[in-house]
Amino acid sequence: MERPYRGIATLHETPSGYHIAVPAKKHLPIVIIFSLWLVGWILSIISVSSLLEDFYDTINGSLGIEGMFIMVWLAFWIAGGLFVMKTLIWYLIGQEIIIIDHEQISIARKNDLLFRQKIYDLREAKRFHVEEEPFEFVFWGRRNDLGVFRNRGTIRFDYGLKTIKFANDMDEAEAKHILEKLRSSGYLTAANFN
């Protein structure tokens, strides 16, 4: 007999509000592909390092077309590797931290480099709802954006003319449970659901 699913999030009520931690879901195909790509990236950087010494000696103060090409290629190659490292770190040890009190909701991403904490006024947060968007293992999604990197937050709310999404890859039933808990405890009111 199957055991009931307990969910991925941990909820803690503190004296000042709720603290919700949602670990990043480990999408195994992405982790494997990015890990292999990163090994190849590191090996290519090592092999190119000896070429760079020769390149530096060759240009001798004048940078031709070939030199410009190598410099641009190297810049893009390093940027690509850093982006893959950032994404891999997020999938392996990333965690969304949501803190909600009676006045605001704060959304942060622990172990996600370059993501800054976002704080929203609860009086302006409207139409809290659940909308599960399934994960698609394609690099180009339905709307021609990178499906692997798109925010598929299951819990959503309108903030002005923008929809804010959080709780990435959470099941719909768990997201509904969290919203109901926040509503019954008084942190979200009927005004937040209209």
Side-chain angles (χ1 to χ4, degrees), residues 16-135:
S16 61
Y18 261 97
H19 180 275
I20 305 165
V22 182
K25 200 165 191 177
K26 277 99 177 124
H27 296 286
L28 196 58
I30 293 173
V31 170
I32 291 170
I33 289 169
F34 280 16
S35 296
L36 292 173
W37 189 91
L38 203 56
V39 167
W41 181 80
I42 290 169
L43 292 174
S44 68
I45 291 292
I46 291 170
S47 67
V48 167
S49 64
S50 63
L51 178 73
L52 287 178
E53 288 177 20
D54 296 339
F55 170 73
Y56 182 74
D57 292 338
T58 304
I59 60 170
N60 252 351
S62 64
L63 193 60
I65 298 290
E66 182 181 314
M68 290 295 286
F69 175 78
I70 290 175
M71 296 298 280
V72 169
W73 174 85
L74 189 59
F76 278 109
W77 191 246
I78 289 173
L82 294 175
F83 179 74
V84 166
M85 273 190 242
K86 171 200 174 305
T87 305
L88 195 56
I89 289 169
W90 168 252
Y91 276 119
L92 292 173
I93 59 173
Q95 194 175 51
E96 266 183 298
I97 307 294
I98 299 103
I99 300 172
I100 187 167
D101 60 27
H102 291 290
E103 296 176 7
Q104 64 188 19
I105 181 168
S106 159
I107 302 169
R109 293 180 88 169
K110 184 178 177 184
N111 298 320
D112 187 6
L113 307 173
L114 306 178
F115 184 89
R116 63 178 182 81
Q117 179 181 9
K118 297 178 180 171
I119 299 173
Y120 304 96
D121 184 354
L122 272 181
R123 293 173 298 205
E124 301 296 323
K126 306 291 183 202
R127 214 174 73 79
F128 270 83
H129 65 285
V130 171
E131 187 176 326
E132 188 175 7
E133 188 174 334
F135 178 79

